[in-house]
Amino acid sequence: PLQLTLGSLIKYLRDRDHDNELLVYFMPTAAGPCRFGQYSSFISSYIERTGIENVALFSLPAETSYSGGFGDDVTLKLWSGLILSQIIEDLHSHFLVNAVDPAAALRTLEDQWRQLLIIQETSPSHRNLKQALRRVSQELSRVAVRRSWNETPAVLLTGEIYVRHDGISRQFLVEKLAAAGFITKVSSIMEWLYYTDWLVKKKIDSRPTNMLTMARLAVRSIFMRNYEKDLKGIVAESDLLPCHLEDIDKLIDMTKSMIDPRLTGEAILTIGGALADVPRHYSGVIAIGPFGCMPNQIAEAILSTEMSQGWRESAWSEGKRQLFPGLEELPFLAIESDGNPFPQVINAKLEVFMMQARRLHNMRIPL
C-alpha cells in the first residue's frame, strides 16, 4: 500500500491544474510498524527531501480515536460520509450481481450518489442527509433486480483496511465474485473507528485522557451509533439492503478466548467478524492483506482452525449446528496481495471457496 498511497499523492501533484494551491494530505496514524505506524513519517520525509512546496500532512492518531483535529460538528459530517459511502458500496455489489441490466443500474447508482455528494458538500445536516437518502432509496428501489440481497449468496471480505477497499490491491475480487453470482460485503472503515473508540474507553493502547475527553467521546459515540442506525434504516425500509449495524463489543467478545484484546490491531476485527457473521449473515469469509502482513497472518492462523472445527464450540454454540447436516467446515480463504495478479494456486482456492460458499448458502435457513 505504500506505493499506492504515496503514488496517489505524486500523481495528484503531477496532474493538478493549479501548482500554487495549498494541499493538505490526510494520513492517519496508529501504533505499530505497519501503514498507520510508518507511512505518515515516510511521506513527510519524502516531501521534505524532494522539496515539494505548499504540501502538508495532516495526521490524527488512533490512540485518541482520531479526536482533537476537528470539532464535533465536522467529525459527525465526516462520519455521515463514511456511512453513506459504505451504503453505496454495498448497493454497487448488489446491483453488479442482481440487476436485470447491471450497466444501467450502476449508472443510476452513480447519478444518485452524485445527488448525495451535493448535499454532503452544501448542506450536510443530519436532517438534510436523511431526506436526501430517503429520496435516493426510493429512486434506487425502482431498479429491476432478479432477487433480493437476502436471497443471494453473500461473502464477507475483511482483513487489512486499505487492501480490502482498493481495487488494484484486491485484484478486482469483488467483480470476480459478482461474475460467479456472489454479493461481496466489504468490512467497513466504520468498524475500525468504533474499535479505536473501544480502545480509548478501555484504556488499552491509548493516550492518557481526562474526564472531559472521555465524556465527549461517549457523547460522540452515541451520535455515531444513532447516525448509522438512522441512515442504514432508511435504506432497509426500501428493501435494498439489510440493516446490519456494527457491533464491536460482540466481535471482541467472540475472540477474547483466542486473542488477548491487549494485542491491538486488525487481527481481532478480522477474526471477530468472521466468527460473528458466518454463517449467520454470510456464506463465507475472505481475509485479504498485504504480503507479509502480521495481523493478517495471525488472523489466518486462528481462523484456519476455528472455521474448520472450532466454530461449533465458539462462534456457533447455540445448538444450531444441526441446521447444516454434514457441514464439516465454514468457507474461509486467506489471500496475501502484493499488487500482482493472484497466482494460480489462489485462483484455484478461490474456485473451491466459491463452491463451498454456494453449498452453504443453499443449506442456510432464515436465522
Side-chain angles (χ1 to χ4, degrees), residues 41 68 71 81 158 189 287 309-310 322 350:
S41 297
T158 185
I189 299 174
Q309 56 185 18
Q322 69 271 16
L350 180 61

Side-chain angles (χ1 to χ4, degrees), residues 272-288:
L275 298 182
D277 290 335
V278 181
R280 182 177 294 275
H281 298 293
Y282 310 109
S283 297
V285 58
I286 298 175
I288 190 169

Side-chain angles (χ1 to χ4, degrees), residues 155-225:
V155 299
L156 177 67
L157 179 61
T158 185
E160 195 272 337
I161 295 175
Y162 187 95
V163 169
R164 74 187 187 218
H165 283 281
D166 179 67
I168 295 175
S169 299
R170 68 192 186 192
Q171 288 298 297
F172 305 99
L173 189 57
V174 172
E175 290 75 13
K176 292 177 183 177
L177 288 165
F182 288 93
I183 285 176
T184 304
K185 167 63 180 179
V186 182
S187 294
S188 73
I189 299 174
M190 295 184 293
E191 174 188 80
W192 175 259
L193 296 176
Y194 277 131
Y195 175 60
T196 58
D197 276 5
W198 186 90
L199 292 176
V200 172
K201 292 173 187 175
K202 300 296 183 181
K203 296 181 170 29
I204 299 175
D205 195 24
S206 63
R207 298 179 181 179
T209 52
N210 55 37
M211 292 297 293
L212 178 60
T213 301
M214 293 297 290
R216 290 187 63 181
L217 181 63
V219 172
R220 189 188 78 171
S221 297
I222 292 172
F223 274 97
M224 289 167 62
R225 174 59 68 181

Side-chain angles (χ1 to χ4, degrees), residues 2-16 23 25 42-43 46-47 50 52 55:
L2 175 60
Q3 294 171 316
L4 297 175
T5 50
L6 178 57
S8 66
L9 173 61
I10 296 171
K11 183 178 186 298
Y12 176 81
L13 293 172
R14 184 194 66 193
D15 297 341
R16 63 181 175 173
L23 177 67
Y25 187 81
F42 182 89
I43 295 174
Y46 175 85
I47 292 172
T50 54
I52 300 175
V55 177

Side-chain angles (χ1 to χ4, degrees), residues 77-314:
K77 289 174 182 176
L78 292 171
W79 179 248
S80 297
L82 287 176
I83 299 170
L84 292 174
S85 65
Q86 184 64 49
I87 289 171
I88 295 299
E89 183 171 33
D90 289 345
L91 287 171
H92 180 273
S93 185
H94 176 33
F95 289 158
L96 201 61
V97 176
N98 288 324
V100 174
D101 185 344
L106 294 180
R107 285 194 299 270
T108 300
L109 181 63
E110 181 67 23
D111 290 341
Q112 295 304 310
W113 175 227
R114 290 196 189 99
Q115 297 303 313
L116 290 174
L117 287 178
I118 291 172
I119 300 298
Q120 185 77 0
E121 292 169 355
T122 58
S123 54
S125 69
H126 188 49
R127 179 180 179 182
N128 288 344
L129 286 173
K130 287 196 297 181
Q131 291 175 345
L133 183 59
R134 189 165 281 110
R135 292 194 299 270
V136 166
S137 297
Q138 290 172 352
E139 185 66 29
L140 293 176
S141 66
R142 299 187 180 99
V143 173
V145 294
R146 297 185 178 89
R147 53 189 172 178
S148 69
W149 174 292
N150 289 328
E151 295 171 326
T152 310
V155 299
L156 177 67
L157 179 61
T158 185
E160 195 272 337
I161 295 175
Y162 187 95
V163 169
R164 74 187 187 218
H165 283 281
D166 179 67
I168 295 175
S169 299
R170 68 192 186 192
Q171 288 298 297
F172 305 99
L173 189 57
V174 172
E175 290 75 13
K176 292 177 183 177
L177 288 165
F182 288 93
I183 285 176
T184 304
K185 167 63 180 179
V186 182
S187 294
S188 73
I189 299 174
M190 295 184 293
E191 174 188 80
W192 175 259
L193 296 176
Y194 277 131
Y195 175 60
T196 58
D197 276 5
W198 186 90
L199 292 176
V200 172
K201 292 173 187 175
K202 300 296 183 181
K203 296 181 170 29
I204 299 175
D205 195 24
S206 63
R207 298 179 181 179
T209 52
N210 55 37
M211 292 297 293
L212 178 60
T213 301
M214 293 297 290
R216 290 187 63 181
L217 181 63
V219 172
R220 189 188 78 171
S221 297
I222 292 172
F223 274 97
M224 289 167 62
R225 174 59 68 181
N226 288 338
Y227 276 31
E228 182 192 3
K229 184 177 180 180
D230 287 349
L231 296 177
K232 288 185 175 180
I234 288 171
V235 181
E237 288 172 4
S238 299
D239 293 326
L240 290 166
L241 298 173
C243 186
H244 185 33
L245 303 179
E246 305 291 340
D247 189 346
I248 292 302
D249 288 323
K250 181 178 181 180
L251 298 194
I252 293 173
D253 186 61
M254 301 291 285
T255 61
K256 63 186 180 183
S257 64
M258 309 162 207
I259 183 170
D260 194 311
R262 292 173 296 178
L263 181 59
T264 60
E266 291 158 319
I268 198 166
L269 300 179
T270 301
I271 298 166
L275 298 182
D277 290 335
V278 181
R280 182 177 294 275
H281 298 293
Y282 310 109
S283 297
V285 58
I286 298 175
I288 190 169
F291 181 77
C293 176
M294 184 178 67
N296 238 53
Q297 291 181 342
I298 292 173
E300 178 182 359
I302 293 175
L303 287 175
S304 294
T305 298
E306 289 299 313
M307 301 297 278
S308 64
Q309 56 185 18
W311 65 279
R312 293 183 175 85
E313 289 74 34
S314 58

